[in-house]
Amino acid sequence: MSSENDFQDSCHLNEQRNSHHSEKVKKNLVTRLNRIEGQIRGIKALIEKDTYCDDVITQISATQSALNSVGRLLLEGHLRTCVVEKIQNGDEEIIDELLVTVGRLMKK
């Protein structure tokens, strides 16, 4: 997937919650999200054209998979940077936050 170097360290700048992705990672994420946005517009067009339901569902499934991929990429970066940094600084509350986050992702 991504290397640890693709994610910048320090998720907190002046105690604000920020994410610091490299330009390479940001570009990758934006590209994926633009593709997903196009898929959503395509699904809308299929519905407007009364396309066979199974074909629409197939496109929805592909779009969900693409969105899940973006979520996994973001989670990986979060784990490699923010979570590691907070644990190294003695902040174990990040584990509770992480469990909630993973729970949200797994609901999908």
Side-chain angles (χ1 to χ4, degrees):
M1 220 190 256
S2 300
S3 73
E4 190 171 341
N5 294 334
D6 288 339
F7 297 94
Q8 305 292 321
D9 59 356
S10 184
C11 292
H12 302 286
L13 182 63
N14 299 325
E15 295 305 313
Q16 293 179 16
R17 292 166 49 110
N18 292 309
S19 177
H20 298 282
H21 303 291
S22 69
E23 288 304 314
K24 176 182 174 184
V25 169
K26 275 197 253 188
K27 184 177 180 183
N28 182 3
L29 291 169
V30 169
T31 298
R32 288 170 182 255
L33 290 169
N34 286 338
R35 198 173 304 131
I36 291 165
E37 186 177 22
Q39 287 176 296
I40 296 293
R41 283 193 303 272
I43 292 167
K44 180 181 173 190
L46 291 175
I47 290 172
E48 290 172 341
K49 291 189 286 187
D50 294 322
T51 302
Y52 184 62
C53 294
D54 190 59
D55 294 338
V56 177
I57 291 168
T58 298
Q59 292 305 310
I60 290 171
S61 176
T63 303
Q64 287 172 328
S65 178
L67 198 51
N68 287 341
S69 179
V70 169
R72 281 190 301 274
L73 188 59
L74 284 168
L75 180 61
E76 177 187 348
H78 185 55
L79 286 168
R80 292 183 184 274
T81 58
C82 301
V83 173
V84 168
E85 178 183 307
K86 283 186 159 263
I87 289 172
Q88 288 173 343
N89 290 331
D91 181 357
E92 294 187 16
E93 289 179 16
I94 189 68
I95 300 298
D96 293 328
E97 177 185 295
L98 181 61
L99 290 171
V100 170
T101 300
V102 170
R104 281 194 307 251
L105 283 174
M106 292 180 73
K107 281 185 186 178
K108 313 294 189 246

